Amino acid sequence: MKVPVSWLREYVELTLPVEELARRLVFTSCEVDRIVRRGVVDVDGNYGHFVVGKVVEAAKHPNADKLQLTKVDVGDGEPRSIVCGAWNFGAGATVAVVTPGAVMPGDFRIEQRKLRGEVSDGMILSERELELGTDHGGIMLLADELAAGTPLADVLPLGDDILEIETLYNRPDLTSIYGIAREVAALTGATLEPVPGADPARDGDEAFSLAIDDLDACPRFIARVFRDVAVGDSPAWLKGRLMGAGMRPISNVVDITNYVMLALGSPLHAYDGDTLRGGIVVRRAGPKEQLVTLDGTARELDPADLVIADHERPIGLAGVMGGENTEVSATTTSVVLETANFEPLTVIRSGERHRMRSEAQTRWEKGVDPEAAALAATYASQLLVEIAGARWTGETELRAEPAPPTRIAYRPQYANATVGLEISEDEQRERLARLGFHITDDWEVTVPTWRARDVRRDIDVVEEVGRFRLEDVPATLPRRQAMYGRLTHEQRLRRLVADVLVGAGMYEAYTYSLQHDDPDPNALELPEPLSSQQRVLRTTLATGLLGAAQHNLDMGNGDVALFEIAHVYLPPGPVPDEHWRVGGIVQGDYFRARGLVEAVFAALNVEPTFTRADLARELAVAATVQSGWVATYAPGVGPEGEWSAFELDLAELFALVPERVTYRDVITYPPVRQDLAFVVDEAVPAGDLIAAAREAAGEELREARFLSDYRGDQIPAGKKSVAFSVAFQSAERTLSDDDAARLRAAIVSELQSRFGAELRG
Amino acid sequence: MDSLAAVDWAAYEQQALSAISGDALEDARVKYLGRKSELAQALRGVRDKESGMLLNGVKARLEAAVTAREHQLELAARRAAADSGVDVTIPGTPVTRGRLHLLTQIRREIEDIFLGMGYEVWDGPEVVTVWENFDALNTDQGHPSRSKLDTFYLDDDTLLRTQTSPDQIKAMLTRTPPIYMVSPGRVYRRDTPDATHSPTFQQVECLAVDRGITLADLRGTVQQYFRQLFGPDRDVRMRTSFFPFTEPSVEFDVTCFLCDGRGCAVCKHSGWIEMGGAGWVDPDVFRTVGLDPDDWQGFAFGFGIERIAMLRHGLPDLRAFWENDVRILGQF
Ligand SMILES: [Zn+2]
């Protein structure tokens, strides 16, 4: 919200410099994004260059058809010669003049200069140049009774400091200038002026037909009728205020509704009374009902939308925007003014459905003080009478039984125990009172209506006093009775896995949990994804890693090896099973990927077993291993070249990790080492041979290591030679040559009988 | 006997040692220990025990010195032979190594700081119920974060968590206080990706539940943490804020670590950097998880990992974290 400081000053005295006020509000009340200047800067006597002028002569510029050459009396002797591009005035007009030496908004300096051969000793101003309006059709005409030389600052709001604040969700009371003034009063101790506005004299007794179908969604509606309204331009002060607050002046009637909304926080709407067919009904929209809103958009209403209707058709989307069919226009003479209460959720849902956003809606969504409706009606009535010459002729109000005020049993010590700072009872009482709370002697706190949504419990009252002292809160630490602080077993192993892969030359990647596609047809899909690239909750890390590999290849990066440790989301839903996985992708063959998996298993003290598997059609070579898989992508899948990948489920993998490793004596008695080579059918996996050898030799086979896999000379067709080295060792005694021979014979016979393997000589 | 008496054996030994330590070792050995040396001649004439001990002592020491010197010279010779003018400025044999992602490095650093302060690290799921993400955290029905325009829903009751705060609820439902935990992890919001927004990012949640916890404890803890992360001179300030699950709620700022609080472009010349949100755990949240707010109090705070990474390492674009270009991954 944009807060013109001059407006704020109308309701509360500002004793602090604006910068200091902003700094303190940031701690106690709201974000202040910045302080900006609207209009003319008030430094180094700049305002002195802006004066009222009387046009003494005005004629066409001798050398330019589109310019006027004028003489203007600014009360300092000889009238000045000023060249002007506007034609909406002539001799005798009272105008706003700026003289050379002045600095205009936008840091533009006025100098005496020649325009097409004629001296221009200043400039006649338009609204737009003073940031008082957006109209650039002509210069600003002032009241004729003003004397030449009168300081313009006495007549117009020349300039203003604007606080740009962001209000918090729980502070709808700060979406009005008066609400901010109240906050400033509580912060600085300054006196708060009474709420602006006094009802004008009633001038007529018109009945107005009003009905509310849904008192839950619209608990209050005040309709006031005005006659003889003169729609026109707003006075400069009003335009200056609106411009400062970031709203465009439209016409006096519309400007008044906006002005009062900004002043008091309760949105208003003005209908052209002559366009209303019958009275007003607040109801839900009918099926297929249409409304063209003020932004010019035709909308089909939803039966859940709350609408303001006359007796024939909708005339506004409640709390969001009015309709074109009853819009106030230049010819309007009769106005029906709406102030109301709308419940936030109704407005939020309508706004969502129609993708709309308006100043009024923003306020209703956060919750408006229900009492402010009457105050807003009063203030707007006063301004309609004063500014638009209206007669107030009628009023109808409907209201549900208002909620009783919130009363809270409070203990001032609670604030101290929560904040960790001693805040005296007097200070608490004073602060609350300034915020509009009523406090009895025994600390029963009554909450003002404008805070009723947020302040419901004693802890909410604590915040009201505590937030003013946040700068003073000391820094202490909890006094702890117990201390702990270590990673879980699983967390430590997860770090270990990452460190092993980094040590093995891999880079860690972060890829999205939401992918464009997933191999699991049951993978959970977002009903409304942000993009087709991120629509499925992945069941594998492989998709994201393929994408990351591709990106690196596209960037021309060589020798890519990436891994990721992250969640996958396993169906069925609605809440999937989330598992930590490690996945990797490397440029290279199956054995490069498998080597990395082996490194992980070795670090975890788990012996991996790889089994050939037919996993997916995208994979050319694939094997399962405990907790996951290793594979090479088929050519054409994924990036150019040969790529291999792996993925392991970490919970399954970590379940295999021995709780603790117990000492084995591998020192006392020496091992006996031998190399064995067997000729077998090509189809027999080397891993199966070694596994069978382990089984056959038992405990005393301490190590069996693959050496080679050979086909060719001396090996019959369809056969291969598989060589591996073994180490026999006992923890109890030195193994003799006989022991070694026995173990070797056991292996040979086992492999012979299971695989038809022949020991090579 | 005359010859023995005539020689100053201490001076003889000194001269011999000095000669041995020179380059002409063999000459020195012949001269002082050889068959014709004064020492050898004198030893041959020794008759009494005292003189024998003296001269044999000199001989033994000189022989030891010769051996030591021989060894020294041999080593020097071997070294000279091995160093055939190697250019030591040529790079070493390459060892392939990778890198942890910058976000993991920072996440670990954060975890380690909290572990050191006696907090446990909690891993929570990313797909949670609406109850866990909003209802249990006191978020009213109208709160904008519930909107389908801001949050990824799987169905009416299930969503991708918008914050790590559901882990507070899960921790309090499964742990008996006192609880001191941090929970780092991915969170999701419907933000169109740009330099400073991503639909996925990492947050860290911190929760302390104990007896007599105050906002002062919050400030102290946040301050300790950021001093570990950014240096000992950092200060922390709290400003009023709103979060549905804390009351009072605050935002906290840390002294800008790029300009030491003097003001720079990064801190918008304020000297402070916004780091995250925090507050005193709302008593209604305790009630929701079955804890008595008269017995237990707590604080919670949360902040983003990417923001710290970007500020500290000067990364201009958040999307770089997800592109996994090894030229960037390899820098950190
Ligand atoms: Zn800075």
Side-chain angles (χ1 to χ4, degrees):
Chain A
M1 168 156 191
K2 294 180 177 172
V3 183
V5 171
S6 69
W7 197 347
L8 196 57
R9 282 184 202 278
E10 206 166 285
Y11 307 139
V12 66
E13 188 192 358
L14 296 186
T15 47
L16 300 172
V18 174
E19 290 73 19
E20 175 62 11
L21 176 68
R23 195 193 72 80
R24 289 181 61 184
L25 281 172
V26 161
F27 283 95
T28 61
S29 313
C30 55
E31 293 270 6
V32 180
D33 290 338
R34 54 186 187 147
I35 304 167
V36 296
R37 183 77 189 170
R38 182 203 60 77
V40 178
V41 287
D42 184 14
V43 289
D44 301 333
N46 196 34
Y47 270 21
H49 294 288
F50 294 82
V51 289
V52 172
K54 295 281 184 187
V55 180
V56 182
E57 293 170 21
K60 192 185 87 63
H61 188 293
N63 308 322
D65 288 347
K66 295 197 169 167
L67 297 177
Q68 277 204 99
L69 180 58
T70 67
K71 293 266 187 226
V72 184
D73 174 11
V74 297
D76 63 349
E78 272 301 290
R80 287 162 186 263
S81 148
I82 298 180
V83 177
C84 181
W87 288 86
N88 65 326
F89 69 103
T94 305
V95 295
V97 175
V98 58
T99 57
V103 178
M104 294 291 289
D107 223 15
F108 152 63
R109 189 171 286 276
I110 299 291
E111 321 239 11
Q112 189 191 74
R113 58 190 182 124
K114 273 197 170 172
L115 281 167
R116 299 285 186 101
E118 296 291 340
V119 170
S120 188
D121 196 14
M123 191 166 112
I124 303 176
L125 295 163
S126 71
E127 280 185 351
R128 203 162 79 124
E129 281 148 354
L130 291 174
E131 297 181 344
L132 287 171
T134 51
D135 177 22
H136 43 95
I139 56 102
M140 202 173 0
L141 294 171
L142 304 178
D144 285 338
E145 56 270 25
L146 293 169
T150 306
L152 203 53
D154 294 353
V155 183
L156 296 172
L158 264 192
D160 210 346
D161 288 319
I162 313 291
L163 292 175
E164 292 191 5
I165 69 166
E166 256 178 72
T167 46
L168 296 162
Y169 178 71
N170 64 330
R171 296 304 305 277
D173 61 305
L174 296 186
T175 55
S176 71
I177 309 292
Y178 190 78
I180 293 162
R182 188 192 297 115
E183 191 77 3
V184 170
L187 173 61
T188 63
T191 309
L192 180 69
E193 297 295 325
V195 179
D199 269 329
R202 180 81 170 260
D203 188 2
D205 195 14
E206 280 191 77
F208 185 80
S209 158
L210 175 65
I212 302 174
D213 277 3
D214 188 339
L215 275 171
D216 291 329
C218 175
R220 187 178 196 183
F221 199 106
I222 302 170
R224 285 192 172 189
V225 184
F226 298 85
R227 297 279 174 189
D228 301 337
V229 182
V231 175
D233 229 11
S234 290
W237 69 265
L238 179 49
K239 288 183 179 178
R241 288 275 167 85
L242 289 180
M243 289 288 286
M247 294 190 91
R248 210 160 52 85
I250 294 165
S251 70
N252 53 6
V253 172
V254 176
D255 292 353
I256 287 167
T257 60
N258 284 330
Y259 182 78
V260 173
M261 173 182 74
L262 292 168
L264 301 177
S266 190
L268 308 89
H269 189 74
Y271 302 91
D272 181 335
D274 294 329
T275 61
L276 285 183
R277 301 172 185 168
I280 280 178
V281 185
V282 184
R283 59 169 171 81
R284 299 286 167 175
K288 303 260 175 200
E289 258 189 322
Q290 305 272 333
L291 174 68
V292 180
T293 42
L294 282 176
D295 55 7
T297 309
R299 301 175 189 276
E300 180 170 320
L301 300 171
D302 187 282
D305 287 331
L306 188 72
V307 296
I308 315 298
D310 60 18
H311 290 169
E312 294 178 12
R313 68 220 160 127
I315 57 172
L317 190 55
V320 182
M321 201 175 280
E324 267 189 359
N325 50 14
T326 49
E327 185 178 6
V328 169
S329 70
T331 56
T332 299
T333 59
S334 151
V335 163
V336 174
L337 181 74
E338 160 199 316
T339 68
N341 294 171
F342 298 114
E343 277 311 298
L345 269 181
T346 317
V347 178
I348 289 170
R349 297 292 173 247
S350 284
E352 277 175 1
R353 264 193 296 274
H354 299 287
R355 304 271 153 113
M356 292 172 77
R357 181 124 304 276
S358 70
E359 285 275 340
Q361 181 190 355
T362 305
R363 287 174 174 76
W364 290 122
E365 287 183 358
K366 292 183 172 182
V368 175
D369 174 10
E371 298 304 319
L375 301 174
T378 293
Y379 193 21
S381 302
Q382 180 191 339
L383 295 176
L384 282 169
V385 170
E386 286 177 5
I387 293 171
R391 280 192 303 120
W392 176 28
T393 57
E395 175 181 46
T396 305
E397 173 174 3
L398 291 178
R399 187 176 195 185
E401 185 64 36
T406 310
R407 294 201 170 80
I408 297 167
Y410 179 67
R411 292 170 296 119
Q413 304 89 306
Y414 192 27
N416 302 341
T418 300
V419 179
L421 177 74
E422 187 72 26
I423 306 174
S424 74
E425 294 200 5
D426 286 350
E427 182 184 334
Q428 296 197 34
R429 190 177 280 276
E430 157 119 22
R431 197 78 76 183
L432 290 169
R434 288 186 166 278
L435 289 168
F437 292 80
H438 181 264
I439 312 105
T440 62
D441 286 344
D442 58 353
W443 288 97
E444 188 190 68
V445 174
T446 304
V447 181
T449 52
W450 57 87
R451 298 303 306 282
R453 271 173 207 282
D454 180 45
V455 182
R456 293 168 288 112
R457 309 157 302 164
D458 51 355
I459 189 64
D460 302 321
V461 179
V462 167
E463 182 170 59
E464 291 309 299
V465 298
R467 64 192 172 87
F468 289 94
R469 296 295 303 278
L470 288 175
E471 280 185 276
D472 309 320
V473 174
T476 60
L477 290 172
R479 284 180 301 279
R480 294 182 61 167
Q481 307 299 314
M483 280 294 255
Y484 48 81
R486 69 189 304 252
L487 294 174
T488 62
H489 184 61
E490 196 185 334
Q491 285 163 347
R492 271 178 290 132
L493 293 181
R494 220 149 57 212
R495 284 193 181 188
L496 176 64
V497 169
D499 291 341
V500 165
L501 293 175
V502 165
M506 302 190 87
Y507 285 86
E508 188 190 14
Y510 274 44
T511 71
Y512 289 116
S513 317
L514 291 165
Q515 290 289 334
H516 59 95
D517 203 2
D518 193 271
D520 185 340
N522 298 317
L524 300 177
E525 293 177 17
L526 289 182
E528 292 175 61
L530 198 58
S531 79
S532 60
Q533 286 306 299
Q534 296 192 20
R535 60 172 203 95
V536 190
L537 273 171
R538 63 181 171 189
T539 68
T540 171
L541 304 181
T543 318
L545 286 170
L546 267 175
Q550 180 72 59
H551 179 73
N552 274 288
L553 210 65
D554 292 346
M555 294 292 113
N557 300 331
D559 196 28
V560 176
L562 300 169
F563 76 96
E564 178 169 24
I565 295 182
H567 287 197
V568 295
Y569 314 83
L570 305 180
V575 179
D577 229 2
E578 289 184 43
H579 285 224
W580 283 98
R581 293 264 178 91
V582 58
I585 188 162
V586 286
Q587 221 161 355
D589 66 6
Y590 165 82
F591 292 101
R592 183 157 182 222
R594 175 175 156 146
L596 293 162
V597 172
E598 285 171 336
V600 169
F601 274 76
L604 296 172
N605 289 305
V606 181
E607 187 69 40
T609 306
F610 295 85
T611 311
R612 192 178 175 95
D614 191 9
L615 292 177
R617 114 186 106 74
E618 293 79 18
L619 303 175
V621 182
T624 57
V625 63
Q626 299 100 306
S627 79
W629 54 267
V630 193
T632 300
Y633 284 107
V637 178
E640 187 81 23
E642 189 174 33
W643 290 86
S644 298
F646 63 85
E647 183 161 331
L648 306 173
D649 187 284
L650 291 180
E652 283 178 41
L653 176 58
F654 295 161
L656 306 175
V657 174
E659 191 133 324
R660 73 172 69 83
V661 175
T662 25
Y663 172 76
R664 275 187 310 153
D665 184 355
V666 294
I667 305 288
T668 312
Y669 304 104
V672 182
R673 296 186 185 280
Q674 293 189 352
D675 290 350
L676 301 173
F678 292 92
V679 174
V680 285
D681 283 347
E682 266 190 329
V684 176
D688 290 6
L689 289 179
I690 293 175
R694 282 185 180 286
E695 262 174 57
E699 286 261 298
E700 283 167 339
L701 177 58
R702 207 199 73 219
E703 186 187 299
R705 200 155 43 81
F706 173 82
L707 292 176
S708 67
D709 168 332
Y710 173 77
R711 293 165 182 76
D713 283 356
Q714 300 154 17
I715 307 294
K719 301 269 185 187
K720 64 178 176 182
S721 164
V722 174
F724 53 94
S725 77
V726 294
F728 302 123
Q729 192 177 26
S730 159
E732 276 98 43
R733 60 196 174 89
T734 303
L735 295 182
S736 65
D737 289 349
D738 287 350
D739 290 323
R742 168 177 55 79
L743 290 165
R744 175 188 164 111
I747 291 172
V748 170
S749 110
E750 179 75 11
L751 299 194
Q752 161 81 62
S753 70
R754 272 174 63 178
F755 305 106
E758 296 292 340
L759 185 68
R760 286 181 81 197
Chain B
M1 294 308 285
D2 287 354
S3 63
L4 184 63
V7 178
D8 176 349
W9 291 107
Y12 183 91
E13 188 174 342
Q14 274 312 309
Q15 287 163 14
L17 286 173
S18 159
I20 289 165
S21 67
D23 289 336
L25 176 62
E26 186 53 23
D27 292 353
R29 193 188 64 75
V30 170
K31 183 172 175 192
Y32 293 101
L33 283 167
R35 294 174 57 80
K36 290 178 183 163
S37 65
E38 278 181 86
L39 180 62
Q41 290 175 28
L43 268 169
R44 282 198 287 278
V46 164
R47 295 294 174 269
D48 62 310
K49 186 179 173 191
E50 210 171 300
S51 302
M53 278 178 68
L54 170 72
L55 294 180
N56 277 314
V58 172
K59 186 184 177 202
R61 285 195 294 277
L62 292 181
E63 280 171 351
V66 167
T67 310
R69 180 63 183 149
E70 270 171 1
H71 191 64
Q72 213 176 25
L73 289 175
E74 191 186 319
L75 266 182
R78 268 198 252 154
R79 222 178 72 187
D83 176 7
S84 51
V86 167
D87 182 352
V88 297
T89 65
I90 289 173
T93 313
V95 174
T96 329
R97 57 151 306 178
R99 297 273 184 177
L100 287 178
H101 196 286
L102 177 61
L103 294 178
T104 298
Q105 294 180 39
I106 293 176
R107 172 181 162 145
R108 281 195 188 180
E109 193 178 340
I110 292 166
E111 287 174 354
D112 289 347
I113 292 169
F114 280 107
L115 289 165
M117 294 202 291
Y119 286 66
E120 64 182 304
V121 178
W122 181 277
D123 299 311
E126 296 157 23
V127 183
V128 300
T129 62
V130 169
W131 185 84
E132 289 161 337
N133 196 78
F134 290 129
D135 300 343
L137 289 164
N138 243 7
T139 314
D140 67 45
Q141 290 297 325
H143 197 276
S145 62
R146 285 184 183 256
S147 159
K148 289 188 172 172
L149 302 176
D150 289 339
T151 298
F152 292 109
Y153 283 85
L154 281 166
D155 61 28
D156 286 346
D157 302 317
T158 318
L159 47 72
L160 304 190
R161 65 177 178 184
T162 61
Q163 48 194 356
T164 38
S165 311
D167 285 344
Q168 288 186 30
I169 299 300
K170 288 175 183 284
M172 287 192 282
L173 284 172
T174 52
R175 285 275 199 288
T176 312
I179 297 169
Y180 289 87
M181 62 95 134
V182 283
S183 174
R186 294 184 182 204
V187 299
Y188 301 85
R189 294 186 191 168
R190 285 186 79 97
D191 285 327
T192 308
D194 63 22
T196 54
H197 293 89
S198 168
T200 308
F201 58 99
Q202 336 275 313
Q203 222 178 35
V204 179
E205 190 85 1
C206 175
L207 173 71
V209 178
D210 207 333
R211 298 187 197 275
I213 297 268
T214 67
L215 273 188
D217 295 331
L218 167 66
R219 181 177 188 181
T221 302
V222 172
Q223 184 172 292
Q224 293 287 320
Y225 160 68
F226 278 111
R227 285 181 178 177
Q228 294 281 321
L229 197 64
F230 294 139
D233 299 328
R234 308 294 157 230
D235 204 353
V236 163
R237 67 175 196 184
M238 302 192 294
R239 295 178 284 110
T240 194
S241 191
F242 172 78
F243 302 103
F245 43 98
T246 50
E247 186 82 18
S249 297
V250 298
E251 298 264 342
F252 54 89
D253 302 339
V254 181
T255 323
C256 179
F257 49 84
L258 296 163
C259 65
D260 283 326
R262 286 187 296 273
C264 67
V266 170
C267 61
K268 295 181 195 136
H269 305 283
S270 70
W272 296 93
I273 292 187
E274 288 181 42
M275 286 311 312
W280 205 69
V281 177
D282 194 296
D284 282 350
V285 172
F286 281 133
R287 287 188 193 99
T288 300
V289 296
L291 294 175
D292 185 344
D294 289 335
D295 289 343
W296 299 105
Q297 294 78 41
F299 63 69
F301 62 95
F303 52 89
I305 298 182
E306 279 88 341
R307 184 168 162 72
I308 291 173
M310 291 173 78
L311 287 171
R312 199 165 73 169
H313 299 276
L315 256 93
D317 194 327
L318 190 59
R319 286 167 290 196
F321 291 127
W322 299 91
E323 280 173 355
N324 302 303
D325 187 322
V326 296
R327 293 169 301 178
I328 292 171
L329 294 177
Q331 284 181 24
F332 302 102

